[in-house]
């Protein structure tokens, strides 16, 4: 039962204790009474916090070996819960949850918090990292794991139609991958996870981009992901700002620092979608992150400013990525942009008419952020410099 507590009396007693000169002036009754009052206050807070609405999240992991469904039992779901922009800014330690025999984990997130989830299975690539706001009573999230590699990414919409009206119609999407773009995709590839009883009708299939799948991070490269020009990393007022809950690679801008260790840490940052969510929650008009998040996309797509590690992976896989992008372009699909590449003489070619250095969502210190060049160099630079942006994507294919 809640009990009344009197903060003014507690403050007065605490002040009396603090200002006491002689130890003998502090009586056991004073100390005991203050502690009892504080205990009641804590109980009040705990009881109140217990009444905060929570979103119940059910995450289902679905895995594919490239052509058929495989077990997701024992998959690891990484969960990050954080809040930026209110008081206090909070980031919970990352949790690693183990999926049950059905590939499912469940958890609760208090309303007002954001959370990021991704799934990881030995021998397969990671799922997309998805970020959501905890605002609903419950949410179903489906994470998809595909083999490691660079793939042409597509999906199909499945449907259940009813003669009883719209109320009994429902839809779902299934992603699929192929080594290269195909003119005709065999049905077993894009219907690999179909529940024929629940979703008997197929709405066909189409390609949506390039999937880059690694054990630690997976992202997609879609249409219109390259900025038309260069831009500063952030608005002028944030050029010398510490962003909350961001992992800084150098805490104080004093020489000397271990540049090799900082670069290693930057290459290991794979949380571009979560970084973008944190940046925009603190600075909604942030130039580079806002451009990436607002670039044209599908309804089930989350566009984000990639981390330095993700941009470096994109550069490492540029030849395989370009091969698939070129196939899309040859098929007349507009909006794709090749990555810079080297010709047979080792000379860098810039197919988009300019050199490319890309901003990342990874930060170095309060003044500098990381960029990755088209030649693979990764380095930090002042935020008021102007560079290009290559958005990357995560998809939350709907149940």
């Amino acid at each position: 039962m809640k009990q009344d507590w009197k903060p003014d009396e507690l403050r007065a007693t605490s002040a009396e204790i603090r200002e006491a000169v002689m130890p003998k002036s502090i009586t056991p009754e004073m100390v005991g009474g203050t502690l009892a009052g504080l205990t009641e206050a804590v109980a009040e807070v705990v009881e109140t916090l217990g009444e905060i609405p929570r979103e119940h999240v059910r995450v289902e992991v679905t895995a594919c070996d490239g052509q058929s469904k495989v077990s997701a039992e024992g998959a690891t779901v990484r969960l990050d819960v954080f809040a930026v922009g209110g008081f206090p800014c909070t980031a919970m330690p990352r949790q690693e949850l183990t999926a049950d025999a059905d590939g499912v984990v469940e958890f609760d997130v208090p309303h007002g918090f954001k959370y990021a989830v991704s799934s990881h299975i030995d021998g397969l690539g990671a799922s997309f990292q998805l970020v959501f706001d905890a605002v609903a009573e419950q949410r179903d999230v489906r994470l998809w794991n595909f083999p490691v590699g660079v793939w042409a990414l597509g999906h199909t919409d499945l449907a259940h139609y009813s003669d009883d009206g719209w109320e009994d119609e429902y839809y779902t999407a299934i992603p699929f991958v192929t080594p290269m773009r195909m003119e005709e995709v065999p049905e077993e590839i894009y219907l690999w996870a179909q529940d024929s009883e629940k979703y008997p009708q197929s709405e066909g299939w189409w390609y949506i981009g390039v999937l880059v799948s690694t054990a630690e991070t997976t992202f997609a490269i879609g249409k219109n992901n390259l900025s038309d020009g260069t831009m500063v990393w952030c608005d002028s007022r944030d050029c010398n700002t510490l962003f909350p809950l961001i992992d800084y690679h150098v805490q104080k801008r004093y020489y000397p620092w271990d540049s090799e260790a900082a670069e290693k840490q930057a290459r290991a940052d794979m949380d571009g979608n979560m970084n973008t969510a944190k940046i925009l929650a603190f600075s909604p008009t942030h130039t580079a992150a806002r451009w990436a998040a607002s670039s044209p996309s599908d309804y089930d797509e989350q566009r984000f400013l990639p981390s330095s590690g993700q941009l470096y992976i994109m550069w490492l896989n540029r030849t395989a990525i370009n091969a698939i992008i070129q196939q899309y372009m040859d098929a007349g699909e507009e909006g794709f942009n090749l990555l810079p590449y080297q010709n047979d003489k080792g000379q860098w070619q810039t197919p988009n008419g300019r050199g490319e250095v890309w901003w990342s969502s990874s930060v170095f210190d309060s003044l500098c952020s990381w960029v990755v060049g088209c030649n693979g160099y990764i380095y930090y630079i002042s935020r008021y410099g102007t560079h290009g942006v290559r958005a990357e994507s995560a998809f939350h294919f709907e149940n």
Side-chain angles (χ1 to χ4, degrees):
M1 179 183 296
K2 296 182 181 181
Q3 299 183 21
D4 292 336
W5 58 286
K6 302 175 181 178
D8 292 338
E9 292 183 8
L10 290 175
R11 292 191 188 98
T13 304
S14 298
E16 187 176 350
I17 293 173
R18 185 176 60 250
E19 295 167 3
V21 178
M22 299 295 293
K24 64 183 180 181
S25 66
I26 304 174
T27 67
E29 289 75 14
M30 291 167 61
V31 176
T34 298
L35 292 179
L38 291 175
T39 300
E40 293 298 333
V42 170
E44 179 86 6
V45 171
V46 170
E47 187 172 346
T48 301
L49 287 177
E51 298 172 357
I52 290 178
R54 295 171 181 267
E55 179 170 295
H56 182 73
V57 184
R58 181 183 184 275
V59 175
E60 179 182 349
V61 180
T62 307
C64 179
D65 62 7
Q67 289 190 330
S68 59
K69 188 174 181 179
V70 298
S71 173
E73 180 177 4
T76 298
V77 174
R78 293 179 183 172
L79 170 65
D80 293 273
V81 179
F82 57 96
V84 180
F87 178 80
C89 291
T90 304
M92 309 296 184
R94 171 169 284 176
Q95 300 181 56
E96 294 195 345
L97 311 175
T98 301
D100 63 18
D102 296 320
V104 172
V105 301
E106 299 187 54
F107 52 87
D108 292 330
V109 181
H111 282 190
F113 282 75
K114 298 178 183 288
Y115 59 95
V117 287
S118 62
S119 55
H120 304 261
I121 300 175
D122 291 342
L124 293 178
S127 74
F128 293 123
Q129 182 185 61
L130 300 175
V131 181
F132 299 100
D133 292 282
V135 294
E137 182 177 345
Q138 61 182 30
R139 188 192 303 266
D140 291 330
V141 176
R142 202 167 182 185
L143 301 177
W144 306 82
N145 295 77
F146 286 98
V148 171
V150 177
W151 308 89
L153 174 65
H155 80 93
T156 179
D157 279 343
L158 301 179
H160 176 274
Y161 297 117
S162 173
D163 295 332
D164 298 331
W166 288 97
E167 295 81 4
D168 294 324
E169 293 187 4
Y170 43 87
Y171 305 83
T172 191
I174 294 178
F176 67 87
V177 297
T178 56
M180 299 294 284
R181 183 187 182 278
M182 302 174 66
E183 291 295 335
E184 290 296 332
V185 179
E187 188 175 81
E188 60 269 18
I189 291 180
Y190 66 87
L191 295 180
W192 63 273
Q194 181 185 24
D195 182 337
S196 57
E197 293 185 2
K198 189 173 182 181
Y199 299 101
Q201 305 295 326
S202 171
E203 297 292 298
W205 56 268
W206 55 94
Y207 284 107
I208 55 178
V210 181
L211 184 75
V212 182
S213 175
T214 75
E216 282 301 306
T217 184
T218 290
F219 54 86
I221 299 170
K223 298 179 180 181
N224 306 307
N225 83 320
L226 175 64
S227 61
D228 291 334
T230 60
M231 64 189 72
V232 293
W233 189 76
C234 61
D235 299 331
S236 61
R237 65 178 296 149
D238 288 330
C239 279
N240 193 11
T241 295
L242 289 169
F243 284 72
L245 309 184
I246 294 288
D247 188 12
Y248 283 81
H249 300 151
V250 170
Q251 295 298 323
K252 294 182 179 181
R253 205 179 326 120
Y254 301 131
Y255 287 100
W257 57 65
D258 191 337
S259 295
E260 184 177 346
E263 183 176 319
K264 182 178 179 181
Q265 190 175 359
R267 292 183 192 275
D269 182 3
M270 302 298 174
D271 293 324
N273 202 5
M274 182 165 65
N275 291 347
T276 301
K278 291 178 178 179
I279 289 170
L280 291 178
F282 182 72
S283 179
T285 59
H286 185 283
T287 312
R290 173 53 55 195
W291 184 91
S294 62
S295 58
S297 60
D298 291 334
Y299 73 95
D300 53 1
E301 182 179 0
Q302 295 182 355
R303 291 216 166 176
F304 58 89
L305 185 64
S307 66
S308 48
Q310 289 169 323
L311 283 173
Y312 185 64
I313 287 174
M314 184 178 72
W315 176 82
L316 286 175
N317 292 277
R318 64 194 180 280
T319 300
I321 293 170
N322 274 351
I324 297 176
I325 288 179
Q326 188 63 60
Q327 285 196 327
Y328 286 146
M329 296 171 67
D330 291 344
E333 298 195 37
E334 299 180 351
F336 286 101
N337 299 99
L338 290 170
L339 298 172
Y341 60 92
Q342 289 172 287
N343 62 17
D344 54 4
K345 297 180 181 180
Q347 300 167 324
W348 279 100
Q349 307 297 303
T350 53
N352 302 300
R354 62 178 184 274
E356 292 193 45
V357 177
W358 310 304
W359 281 118
S360 80
S361 57
S362 304
V363 294
F364 177 74
D365 63 7
S366 63
L367 183 63
C368 297
S369 294
W370 292 95
V371 296
V372 177
C374 65
N375 53 10
Y377 291 139
I378 178 172
Y379 53 96
Y380 54 87
I381 196 165
S382 295
R383 296 170 180 169
Y384 50 77
T386 56
H387 298 289
V389 174
R390 282 261 186 184
E392 291 176 358
S393 301
F395 287 86
H396 49 102
F397 297 102
E398 303 267 335
N399 284 328

